[in-house]
Amino acid sequence: MSLKNLETYKSHIEKYGFSVINKVFSDEEVGRIINVLDHIDTSRDNFRKSEDLFAIRQFLKEIPEIKDFIFNDNIKEVVKNIFGEKYFVVKSIYFDKPETSNWYVAYHQDLTISVDKKLELSGFGPWTTKQNQFAVQPPLNVLENIYTIRIHLDDTDESNGALKVIPTSHSKGIYRPETIDWTVETEEICNVEKGGIMLMKPLTLHGSNRTTNGKKRRVIHIEFSDMELPEVLQWAERMN
């Protein structure tokens, strides 16, 4: 199974801030990933559990045995041909939005990166620290350089929390959600098939609705960059 017309997806994400590619993973490959997820010990510190959401931060570090299943030939091709030869992983999270979830996400941009320590650095801030993990808002050029891949382990549409996005909002810098001008902006729902991926720029305004159809939505979220951070600051989850 190989991907065709990657140039089309590349130009779409550059122009609109997102793109959807289906059939990146076969049913068998998705099954292998789910099998690993079904057998993990969920009591660890980096796991967040509530009725509405189950999440694993630093996912690829926590579940290293899943890497070979995630980075199949298609994903490697996407990273190389759409992002660039030198891109590496800088962040990974697994989200499981259960069938009964009432959890919705208001429109926002992804404005922080995960780093290994807290430093006073010009252009970096504000900082947040959770469970000894450091997140910071970096200068705009760092955010503009990042690409996100969201791998969908379930069919996802408007009724079970597919992302809604505002096309081209990634090219407008820091864009506060309360200032969205709906007379000029439009909203698009990003339906993704099981085994498909959504590509996104972190500055693309995005959100999701509550689940109404009683179906699961499991997503693996991985961010990539090809930039080194200044001075002695490092990406917390750097992985080639």
Side-chain angles (χ1 to χ4, degrees):
M1 184 172 67
S2 72
L3 299 178
K4 296 181 175 65
N5 307 335
L6 285 183
E7 277 304 314
T8 314
Y9 300 113
K10 183 181 169 87
S11 58
H12 198 278
I13 190 173
E14 298 306 337
K15 183 172 180 184
Y16 297 106
F18 68 97
S19 201
V20 172
I21 312 178
N22 285 312
K23 300 188 172 39
V24 175
F25 294 85
S26 66
D27 283 351
E28 195 183 348
E29 288 174 314
V30 172
R32 283 189 208 124
I33 293 170
I34 290 172
N35 186 47
V36 175
L37 290 167
D38 283 346
H39 290 91
I40 52 183
D41 165 16
T42 59
S43 62
R44 297 188 231 175
D45 285 351
N46 272 343
F47 295 6
R48 172 183 158 194
K49 274 202 296 210
S50 72
E51 279 176 26
D52 281 336
L53 180 70
F54 172 63
I56 304 175
R57 296 185 180 285
Q58 301 212 356
F59 175 64
L60 295 172
K61 275 188 178 176
E62 291 283 343
I63 321 287
E65 64 272 25
I66 212 161
K67 277 193 300 222
D68 290 343
F69 299 138
I70 287 175
F71 292 101
N72 68 1
D73 290 347
N74 283 341
I75 288 290
K76 288 176 184 164
E77 222 171 287
V78 164
V79 173
K80 190 174 102 179
N81 294 313
I82 296 184
F83 306 169
E85 294 264 357
K86 297 186 173 142
Y87 270 74
F88 47 85
V89 172
V90 296
K91 187 179 196 171
S92 60
I93 312 171
Y94 168 66
F95 293 108
D96 177 355
K97 199 171 179 180
E99 298 90 328
T100 54
S101 177
N102 267 330
W103 194 62
Y104 79 99
V105 182
Y107 267 111
H108 66 287
Q109 295 174 303
D110 292 340
L111 294 176
T112 64
I113 59 171
S114 296
V115 293
D116 65 335
K117 62 179 87 64
K118 186 172 178 180
L119 285 179
E120 287 305 315
L121 269 183
S122 160
F124 284 75
W127 288 81
T128 54
T129 310
K130 278 182 203 155
Q131 294 166 326
N132 221 14
Q133 294 183 19
F134 306 99
V136 65
Q137 183 169 329
L140 197 59
N141 68 314
V142 176
L143 293 170
E144 287 172 340
N145 174 261
I146 292 172
Y147 287 92
T148 300
I149 294 182
R150 293 169 58 88
I151 300 167
H152 283 252
L153 305 179
D154 302 286
D155 287 326
T156 312
D157 61 23
E158 195 170 359
S159 50
N160 66 331
L163 283 194
K164 45 187 188 177
V165 297
I166 297 180
T168 74
S169 52
H170 69 300
S171 57
K172 300 177 183 179
I174 305 292
Y175 192 151
R176 299 289 170 206
E178 61 276 12
T179 66
I180 295 171
D181 179 355
W182 289 110
T183 60
V184 296
E185 303 291 16
T186 56
E187 173 176 287
E188 191 163 327
I189 306 286
C190 296
N191 295 341
V192 187
E193 293 170 13
K194 171 184 168 179
I197 62 175
M198 177 179 172
L199 305 177
M200 192 174 71
K201 299 296 285 174
L203 292 175
T204 304
L205 278 161
H206 60 286
S208 66
N209 295 333
R210 290 183 172 87
T211 296
T212 56
N213 66 357
K215 290 184 179 166
K216 283 175 93 74
R217 189 205 73 176
R218 292 166 293 183
V219 172
I220 297 165
H221 169 117
I222 308 175
E223 296 176 18
F224 297 79
S225 174
D226 66 352
M227 286 177 86
E228 299 303 342
L229 298 173
E231 299 185 41
V232 291
L233 200 59
Q234 301 287 336
W235 300 97
E237 296 178 62
R238 182 184 175 138
M239 191 179 288
N240 287 328

